[in-house]
Amino acid sequence: MDSVPALDEPLKKVLGPATAKVMAEHLGLHTVGDLLHHYPRRYEERGQLTHLADLPMDEHVTVVAQVADARLHTFASSRAPRGKGQRLEVTITDGSGRLQLVFFGAGVHKPHKELLPGTRAMFAGKVSVFKRRLQLAHPAYELLRGDAEETVETWAGALIPIYPATAKLESWKIGKALQTVLPSAQEAADPLPESLREGRGLVPLPEALLKIHRPHTKADIEEARARLKWDEAFVLQVALARRRYADAQLPAVPRRPRPDGILAAFDDRLPFTLTEGQRKVSEEIFADLATDHPMHRLLQGEVGSGKTMVALRAMLAVVDAGGQAAMLAPTEVLAQQHHRSVTEMMGDLAQGGMLGGAENATKVVLLTGSMGAAARRHALLDLATGEAGIVIGTHALIEDKVQFHDLGLVVVDEQHRFGVEQRDALRGKGKQPPHLLVMTATPIPRTVAMTVFGDLETSVLDQLPAGRSPIASHVVPVADKPHFLARAWERVREEVEKGHQAYVVCPRIGDEEDGAKAKKKSPEDEAEKRPPLAVLDTAEQLARGPLAGLRVEVLHGRMQPDDKDAVMRRFAAGEVDVLVATTVIEVGVNVPNATVMVIMDADRFGVSQLHQLRGRVGRGSAPGLCLLVSEMPEASAARQRLNAVASTLDGFELSRIDLEQRREGDVLGQAQSGTRSSLRMLAVIDDEEVIAEAREEATRIVAADPELERLPALRTALDALLDEEREQYLEKG
């Protein structure tokens, strides 16, 4: 079997350097094994044509269709002034819709000869719009001819795999490359323990790989998919189960609150009762803090569900037990906001060592990058001596100079903004690993929590505290109904006249360098027609126009920290009527008197971001209003997304929609950098059952054999999944 390349054989040796280079650069495929795991996105039956009616804009697509007609036009242009320019327009159809193909210049000759009415072919290209019709310009195509010995039935019924492709490498070329390496599938080591595979009726891995790439029937595809989904879910859950197992072996100092300590004093003074959810989650956290291995808990709560209160009580419990707690916030605005609200909630309990401080008081210090040298020195000293029981800060907390007397708990706010390295660096500052509480206001569906945060236990706060008001949300479709925007500004004025305040959010600041404009625009950018609306321009236009006479100020990330803080203080004090801001206000900003939010170019934001922003209003007793302004046409995907946000306040429902639209990024955290997800077959939303069962099996197997000594093929699969970066990611998770 020497002729069969090994799975770790570089593609360069098997397919030649040119093809291998494109596969590496554009698809992240380097070895024979990588290519075998590049699964078809879908299958076409030659006799059945794809739905042209459902084509996504701006995406590279492969369609199987039949030529309806082809016309050659001549025209005059700057290059061919005498009317010698040639354009070939070919209309293809699939029964569900029609699509125009265009070829120009010398590129018309070959398709003019080959694409005759009645011809069937696969076409690949990027979908664009010309004169309000969908088209593919200069698509690559492959004619579908049945071999002489094939009967019409077998030809029409054959399943053609359509692979995720790029402009540089069409699906059928990937298919041909796979034909070359497919015999190597026999060499694939099976990571699933045999008892598990047989118990669940799953086919062996080599058979699954053959069936996914060369299925004879739809049943073959189903069998292969079921098996390959299990592989992905199981190997990932084994990685996470090993992480949890290793964490459970680490030592930590148990932290139990004193019955007459600062937590009890704080609880006695609370002017309101905690919600049932807050009490339940606090008990889960206190139980974790009392154990002798580190807590790793994810606290999910809807915007405004009172997560900060739960986190503060956990921090006070640790201070009671003689330790220190650190809260890490993603921005200075948010760190200052948390510091303000924590010291206000604690009153004289936050004045440890000061005149007027309560008996059990501790110090609450703020540490950010922009603090003056003297204030910073003071804060660092309070941390090193243990004088400060609670510190709230940005990533400035992670710097080498910062020393803690006895760090017992790390609270990370808005997990998705923090690199794992940063979380790890802060955890490294404890004498023993501190307990870890991660908070997020972005609701995460249960399956995603099991995969992305699979090494964390999860608590959910789903009740809103008493006194919270409902938020009405509406889409303002500027293109179809321009008068709606005028009405939106009237609504803002009405709210201000009632003594309330408003936010206006824009995607851009507006003082960007000209260099950004000078960059050559891609056709997609041109299609966007204009840059996103900017804070500085919008604020000026509003102050001169529809909101003239109101106190309008701006807030954005490039302002000096002191200026940002001053604006936020003035807004919180009611001295500003309308705050025009970027998404710096997205998390944690709490001004109960703000009742209306207008989000400009709302289609430029993601679903969960819109939900977060909306959560800034309706925080007091007056009802909130959120207006989503967009120029996108009614039928567009962007408008459907906005309609979904307007139709529900349920963050978990929205996070499902968000995930379905974005497709999962790389769930192991290489999300932003890689082009390819580590999950190729598993859909985190749809395959909840597989993930839950795989988690149970993985936990059982790791408990019995933590080093997987009895399962060498599983170890190999794990090593392949956890290349070095991902290994570190999980190490630090």
Side-chain angles (χ1 to χ4, degrees):
M1 295 252 340
D2 287 350
S3 60
V4 174
L7 294 183
D8 54 5
E9 183 95 14
L11 287 172
K12 195 157 64 177
K13 285 190 178 173
V14 185
L15 303 175
T19 307
K21 185 169 187 262
V22 176
M23 285 195 170
E25 284 176 7
H26 294 274
L27 296 168
L29 307 175
H30 303 278
T31 64
V32 168
D34 289 345
L35 181 53
L36 283 173
H37 288 292
H38 186 70
Y39 307 133
R41 180 172 281 165
R42 57 191 169 80
Y43 301 84
E44 289 300 351
E45 288 179 76
R46 280 178 172 146
Q48 274 185 0
L49 303 173
T50 59
H51 281 286
L52 293 181
D54 302 337
L55 289 181
M57 275 293 293
D58 284 344
E59 276 195 28
H60 277 284
V61 297
T62 302
V63 298
V64 176
Q66 184 166 341
V67 176
D69 68 56
R71 293 164 193 226
L72 190 61
H73 302 273
T74 55
F75 60 90
S77 71
S78 55
R79 288 187 181 172
R82 295 200 194 126
K84 296 279 176 64
Q86 289 192 309
R87 180 174 80 245
L88 176 66
E89 289 179 1
V90 178
T91 305
I92 58 173
T93 178
D94 65 353
S96 78
R98 296 165 85 80
L99 180 66
Q100 184 129 7
L101 316 177
V102 286
F103 301 89
F104 294 99
V108 304
H109 305 310
K110 185 166 175 273
H112 191 214
K113 284 207 300 272
E114 293 182 336
L115 297 179
L116 305 172
T119 307
R120 283 187 176 177
M122 282 200 279
F123 301 92
K126 190 169 190 181
V127 183
S128 58
V129 170
F130 181 69
K131 292 191 175 167
R132 311 196 87 165
R133 291 172 68 189
L134 292 183
Q135 69 167 25
L136 298 181
H138 285 281
Y141 63 88
E142 174 98 329
L143 300 178
L144 294 175
R145 303 187 180 94
D147 295 338
E149 62 272 17
E150 261 187 320
T151 66
V152 173
E153 285 75 25
T154 58
W155 187 85
L159 292 162
I160 308 168
I162 304 289
Y163 290 94
T166 76
K168 298 269 194 307
L169 199 66
E170 292 89 7
S171 169
W172 52 86
K173 289 184 182 160
I174 296 172
K176 284 174 182 165
L178 265 151
Q179 200 62 46
T180 311
V181 302
L182 209 50
S184 306
Q186 297 303 337
E187 310 297 304
D190 201 323
L192 290 192
E194 200 166 323
S195 57
L196 189 158
R197 185 171 61 70
E198 287 175 355
R200 296 190 176 272
L202 299 167
V203 299
L205 181 59
E207 187 183 329
L209 289 171
L210 287 171
K211 284 182 169 171
I212 201 81
H213 291 297
R214 292 293 172 268
H216 294 300
T217 62
K218 288 183 178 167
D220 284 354
I221 299 171
E222 286 314 304
E223 277 192 345
R225 278 193 170 143
R227 163 62 217 244
L228 296 167
K229 274 180 184 180
W230 248 95
D231 275 21
E232 284 179 10
F234 180 68
V235 174
L236 180 54
Q237 291 300 337
V238 166
L240 292 164
R242 290 186 71 198
R243 179 74 245 124
R244 288 196 301 276
Y245 182 85
D247 280 340
Q249 313 307 308
L250 289 173
V253 179
R255 310 279 180 175
R256 292 185 187 85
R258 300 201 314 273
D260 56 348
I262 188 170
L263 175 62
F266 176 76
D267 282 352
D268 286 345
R269 302 163 174 222
L270 276 182
F272 51 83
T273 52
L274 298 173
T275 65
E276 187 53 43
Q278 285 174 318
R279 274 205 296 276
K280 184 175 133 290
V281 169
S282 289
E283 277 160 24
E284 290 171 351
I285 291 171
F286 292 153
D288 284 357
L289 290 174
T291 61
D292 53 11
H293 56 84
M295 164 171 83
H296 288 106
R297 191 167 281 280
L298 173 70
L299 172 57
Q300 300 187 53
E302 274 288 13
V303 177
S305 57
K307 292 181 301 299
T308 311
M309 173 60 70
V310 170
L312 176 55
R313 293 183 73 238
M315 294 197 285
L316 294 175
V318 169
V319 172
D320 258 352
Q324 291 169 293
M327 185 180 221
L328 200 53
T331 64
E332 293 210 349
V333 168
L334 195 50
Q336 286 162 339
Q337 176 93 21
H338 275 318
H339 182 254
R340 258 205 304 281
S341 58
V342 164
T343 47
E344 278 166 19
M345 284 197 270
M346 287 175 63
D348 58 4
L349 288 171
Q351 295 170 4
M354 293 184 240
L355 268 170
E359 184 190 344
N360 291 315
T362 186
K363 243 188 200 175
V364 180
V365 302
L366 177 69
L367 190 62
T368 64
S370 64
M371 283 169 75
R376 190 180 172 74
R377 254 199 321 277
H378 215 91
L380 289 173
L381 188 64
D382 284 344
L383 288 182
T385 59
E387 191 80 7
I390 294 177
V391 57
I392 296 171
T394 55
H395 49 261
L397 280 177
I398 296 163
E399 292 168 11
D400 293 341
K401 289 197 280 287
V402 180
Q403 299 295 325
F404 288 86
H405 176 65
D406 178 15
L407 181 60
L409 170 67
V410 174
V411 178
V412 180
D413 191 19
E414 286 309 314
Q415 154 65 24
H416 61 288
R417 304 286 187 93
F418 267 111
V420 173
E421 291 74 21
Q422 295 163 312
R423 233 164 67 184
D424 189 53
L426 190 52
R427 271 173 36 185
K429 291 188 175 291
K431 295 190 174 69
Q432 284 195 334
H435 299 281
L436 175 70
L437 180 65
V438 171
M439 299 198 295
T440 177
T442 308
I444 302 165
R446 175 170 165 261
T447 43
V448 183
M450 280 195 290
T451 35
V452 184
F453 299 108
D455 59 333
L456 301 174
E457 298 301 325
T458 303
S459 297
V460 178
L461 272 179
D462 47 14
Q463 280 172 293
L464 289 187
R468 269 306 165 87
S469 303
I471 305 169
S473 306
H474 303 284
V475 177
V476 178
V478 184
D480 327 346
K481 302 188 174 103
H483 61 286
F484 274 35
L485 185 58
R487 177 71 190 114
W489 300 128
E490 280 172 25
R491 284 291 291 114
V492 170
R493 291 193 87 96
E494 286 164 15
E495 286 298 311
V496 172
E497 277 160 21
K498 288 183 200 162
H500 297 307
Q501 292 160 281
Y503 296 101
V504 176
V505 179
C506 302
R508 224 165 40 97
I509 295 173
D511 60 356
E512 286 80 358
E513 295 301 310
D514 288 346
K517 292 176 194 159
K519 279 198 299 203
K520 187 172 182 306
K521 287 193 171 176
S522 70
E524 299 94 281
D525 292 338
E526 292 291 353
E528 291 274 22
K529 292 192 185 59
R530 59 165 181 75
L533 291 170
V535 165
L536 300 177
D537 310 340
T538 304
E540 196 180 327
Q541 286 160 11
L542 290 175
R544 282 210 312 261
L547 302 185
L550 302 188
R551 296 167 298 175
V552 178
E553 292 210 21
V554 300
L555 179 71
H556 59 74
R558 279 213 288 278
M559 288 164 64
Q560 288 301 316
D562 289 350
D563 297 344
K564 275 192 273 197
D565 198 38
V567 170
M568 270 320 296
R569 279 176 191 276
R570 284 201 296 279
F571 189 62
E575 294 161 19
V576 174
D577 298 321
V578 180
L579 187 62
V580 183
T582 55
T583 53
V584 290
I585 61 153
E586 181 185 340
V587 285
V589 173
N590 185 22
V591 179
N593 191 43
T595 54
V596 58
M597 172 170 288
V598 182
I599 303 178
M600 308 303 290
D601 280 342
D603 47 89
R604 312 268 177 134
F605 298 98
V607 170
S608 55
Q609 208 173 18
L610 291 169
H611 182 58
Q612 286 280 346
L613 286 165
R614 169 170 65 186
R616 301 299 114 219
V617 295
R619 300 177 78 84
S621 51
L625 173 66
C626 178
L627 301 173
L628 306 166
V629 180
S630 171
E631 288 185 2
M632 296 306 261
E634 190 154 7
S636 63
R639 270 286 287 282
Q640 286 163 6
R641 208 168 63 227
L642 296 182
N643 292 340
V645 174
S647 68
T648 178
L649 291 171
D650 180 341
F652 285 92
E653 179 54 33
L654 288 173
S655 65
R656 287 182 79 94
I657 294 167
D658 196 20
L659 211 72
E660 281 160 4
Q661 290 196 328
R662 280 188 299 130
R663 307 198 180 107
E664 293 88 6
D666 185 318
V667 167
L668 273 191
Q670 294 308 101
Q672 272 63 42
S673 59
T675 50
R676 217 171 42 134
S677 160
S678 65
L679 299 185
R680 300 182 188 86
M681 193 55 80
L682 195 69
V684 171
I685 286 286
D686 301 335
D687 296 317
E688 182 161 351
E689 233 167 89
V690 175
I691 293 169
E693 289 173 17
R695 182 178 165 117
E696 275 174 35
E697 293 277 10
T699 307
R700 192 175 53 73
I701 280 167
V702 169
D705 180 8
E707 293 304 310
L708 307 178
E709 282 162 1
R710 297 192 287 282
L711 299 166
L714 177 54
R715 273 213 76 120
T716 308
L718 207 55
D719 294 340
L721 173 75
L722 306 178
D723 51 34
E724 275 179 46
E725 281 183 291
R726 296 202 181 112
E727 180 75 278
Q728 284 176 347
Y729 177 82
L730 284 179
E731 281 301 321
K732 295 172 178 174

